[in-house]
């Protein structure tokens, strides 16, 4: 028997030795069971933390996407306004050139 290695005792002594080893193994098993419960509690706690952090991360990612969308829309609005300003500036320049070419100077401009 591998678990009674090298013990050469009488039947009663073998029973006592085996009983002692059984008690020792059962106590060790209880210790490991307690350790397993503690590890399970730690695992459950950490799993909750992971879920909370993943939810926070998902919220932050959504906020980042929204912030980028707002930036993109503001950029589009700016570009649109710059385009309108350029078109109006060209129109104004054409009107002023026509006014100068007809009268030699811009209309309504006394000091020009």
């Amino acid at each position: 028997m591998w678990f009674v290695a090298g013990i050469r005792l009488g039947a009663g002594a073998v029973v006592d030795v085996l009983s002692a080893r059984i008690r020792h193994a059962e106590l060790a098993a209880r210790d490991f069971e307690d350790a397993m419960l503690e590890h399970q509690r730690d695992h459950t706690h950490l799993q909750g933390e992971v879920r909370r952090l993943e939810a926070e991360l998902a919220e932050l990612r959504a906020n980042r996407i929204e912030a980028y969308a707002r930036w993109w829309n503001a950029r589009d609005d700016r570009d649109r306004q710059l385009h309108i300003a350029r078109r109006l500036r060209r129109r104004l320049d054409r009107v002023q050139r026509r006014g100068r070419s007809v009268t030699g100077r811009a209309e309504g401009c006394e000091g020009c």
Side-chain angles (χ1 to χ4, degrees), residues 40-87:
Q40 182 63 35
R41 280 191 301 270
D42 290 346
H43 179 266
T44 302
H45 172 73
L46 290 172
Q47 186 64 30
E49 284 293 307
V50 166
R51 284 190 187 118
R52 184 185 65 76
L53 290 172
E54 284 174 345
E56 185 179 339
L57 179 61
E59 181 181 342
L60 289 172
R61 284 181 173 153
N63 291 344
R64 180 190 64 179
I65 290 170
E66 289 172 12
Y68 184 76
R70 287 191 305 269
W71 175 85
W72 187 266
N73 291 336
R75 180 180 162 270
D76 280 349
D77 292 342
R78 179 206 62 189
D79 291 349
R80 190 176 306 109
Q81 293 304 313
L82 288 172
H83 176 71
I84 290 170
R86 281 190 299 269
R87 289 183 62 182

Side-chain angles (χ1 to χ4, degrees), residues 17-18 22-23 30-32 44-45 53 55 62 68 76 78 91 97 104 108 110:
V17 170
L18 289 177
I22 289 170
R23 281 191 303 276
R30 280 190 220 127
D31 290 344
F32 286 121
T44 302
H45 172 73
L53 290 172
Y68 184 76
D76 280 349
R78 179 206 62 189
R91 185 180 296 172
R97 279 194 305 268
E110 299 296 326

